[in-house]
């Protein structure tokens, strides 16, 4: 393999890597824009709507915690051989 071929392949690899990173950066920028818009819309919510949203989030967190607790208890039972 000649030095010319080596550099040609190296620069080709760098070009492809730069293109892929650009796509990642574009996707991250779009996600950040969408998150900012969501935060803005949430900030404009009425107090009652905000309370309802917070209550739903709390209920989801409680359900998730209960599911984790149940899974842990199942693991404990399995470890004890029950």
């Amino acid at each position: 393999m000649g030095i010319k071929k080596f550099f040609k392949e190296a620069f080709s690899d760098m070009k492809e890597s730069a293109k892929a990173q650009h796509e990642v950066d574009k996707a991250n920028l779009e996600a950040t824009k969408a998150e900012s818009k969501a935060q803005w819309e949430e900030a404009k919510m009425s107090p009652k709507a905000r309370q309802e949203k917070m209550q739903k989030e709390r209920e989801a967190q409680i359900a998730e915690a209960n599911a984790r607790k149940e899974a842990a208890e199942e693991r404990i039972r399995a470890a004890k051989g029950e």
Side-chain angles (χ1 to χ4, degrees):
M1 180 160 133
I3 191 127
K4 189 174 185 180
K5 183 178 179 185
F6 170 78
F7 279 110
K8 190 173 189 176
E9 288 178 5
F11 284 115
S12 177
D13 289 346
M14 285 190 287
K15 182 179 177 182
E16 292 301 316
S17 179
K19 283 182 183 179
Q21 186 61 46
H22 178 70
E23 291 300 316
V24 170
D25 291 342
K26 277 184 12 182
N28 283 332
L29 178 64
E30 293 300 318
T32 301
K33 284 181 182 179
E35 289 169 347
S36 294
K37 183 170 176 107
Q39 287 176 342
W40 173 250
E41 293 299 326
E42 288 172 346
K44 294 190 313 183
M45 291 171 59
S46 69
K48 183 174 181 168
R50 186 176 294 117
Q51 286 177 345
E52 290 173 1
K53 179 183 177 287
M54 298 276 291
Q55 183 62 34
K56 287 179 185 177
E57 288 175 359
R58 283 190 292 267
E59 289 170 357
Q61 289 174 349
I62 290 169
E64 180 184 347
N66 287 338
R68 288 179 23 226
K69 179 183 171 191
E70 186 62 36
E73 289 172 351
E74 181 64 32
R75 288 173 45 205
I76 291 169
R77 285 190 294 273
K80 287 183 177 181
E82 295 177 2

